[in-house]
């Protein structure tokens, strides 16, 4: 048998193997889609029997977020402060509180995640929203799409983790002229030490929990209008925090933030 014939046989075998693998992948996807459709149909039926419809806009198969443990990194914090304030000095104040002073302002960061920053330069621009995002980005924080304008010179911004809002990691900015601003709020820490979806409610289980709460707490609603995931951050003074996933279920007359681990209602305001 010639070398060319051997090569052709090998190519044919590889082609058949690829075709076989493609069939397996497609079969898995079909099975997954059918399973998802069955689960969605069951959820919709359960709610309908209880007098509640689910809007077609609701994404019933939203990805389950993980419980994440994040710790404070002093080195990273210092690098981020210098990105915002320029070359800076760092001074420990005790109680896991650090004071930073740079050419463009001062900052104080606590082990609880709370921080205060006075910026005196380096953020030029008359658009308060863009300036607020610029400050947050320099401090290494991912932002939620929403930004609340409190007044012409004051805005609040919500931080995100992995694209999901951290409802209690909010910063308020007040601007004085083009380059001066005061920021005060809570930030998400720097270093991930663990991440797991074990024991976390899926979107389906979150909806069932919502239905239980409607019945036990006496809420009245007739339509589910949205379902989304986010986080609540709990912090110890030592500089370690846990991001607990939360399902936000909104209906026509009530909206609940359900802790995806404990099932409790969370207050996010």
């Amino acid at each position: 048998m010639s070398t060319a014939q051997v090569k052709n046989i090998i190519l044919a075998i590889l082609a058949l193997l690829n075709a076989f693998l493609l069939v397996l992948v497609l079969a898995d996807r079909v099975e997954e889609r059918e399973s998802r459709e069955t689960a969605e149909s069951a959820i919709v039926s359960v709610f309908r029997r209880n007098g509640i419809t689910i809007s077609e806009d609701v994404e019933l198969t939203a990805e389950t977020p993980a419980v994440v443990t994040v710790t404070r990194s002093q080195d990273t914090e210092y690098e981020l402060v210098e990105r915002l304030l320029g070359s800076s000095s760092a001074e420990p104040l005790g109680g896991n509180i650090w004071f930073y002073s740079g050419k463009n302002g001062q900052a104080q960061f606590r082990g609880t995640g709370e921080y205060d920053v006075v910026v005196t330069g380096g953020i030029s621009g008359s658009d308060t929203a863009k300036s607020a995002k610029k400050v947050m980005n320099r401090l290494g924080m991912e932002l939620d799409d929403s930004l609340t304008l409190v007044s012409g010179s004051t805005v609040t911004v919500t931080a995100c983790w992995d694209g999901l809002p951290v409802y209690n990691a909010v910063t308020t900015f007040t601007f004085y002229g083009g380059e001066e601003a005061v920021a005060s709020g809570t930030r998400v820490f720097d270093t991930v030490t663990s991440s797991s979806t074990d024991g976390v409610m899926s979107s389906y289980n979150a909806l069932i929990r919502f239905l239980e709460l409607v019945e036990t707490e006496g809420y009245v609603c007739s339509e589910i209008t949205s379902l989304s995931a986010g986080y609540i951050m709990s912090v110890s003074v030592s500089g370690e925090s846990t991001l607990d996933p939360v399902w936000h279920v909104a209906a026509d007359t009530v909206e609940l933030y359900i802790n995806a681990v404990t099932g409790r209602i969370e207050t996010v305001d």
Side-chain angles (χ1 to χ4, degrees), residues 64-65 197 199-203 205-206 209 247 258-263:
T64 303
T197 56
V200 179
M201 288 183 185
S202 67
S203 56
N205 289 335
R209 177 58 179 156
W247 287 106
I258 301 171
N259 190 302
V261 178
T262 66

Side-chain angles (χ1 to χ4, degrees), residues 94-108:
N96 207 11
I97 302 173
W98 282 78
F99 176 78
Y100 302 94
S101 181
K103 66 177 183 178
N104 290 325
Q106 297 81 41
Q108 183 170 285

Side-chain angles (χ1 to χ4, degrees), residues 4-24:
Q5 289 175 317
V6 171
K7 288 182 178 179
N8 288 335
I9 292 173
I10 293 174
L11 290 174
I13 292 173
L14 290 175
L16 289 172
L17 179 60
N18 286 335
F20 177 70
L21 292 174
L22 178 61
V23 169
L24 287 180

Side-chain angles (χ1 to χ4, degrees), residues 4 33 50 62 64 88 119 132 155 158 177 183 188 190-191 216 230 241 257-258:
R33 185 180 68 249
N50 284 272
T64 303
S88 302
V119 183
V155 296
T158 301
V188 182
D190 318 291
T191 305
T216 58
S241 67
Y257 294 83
I258 301 171

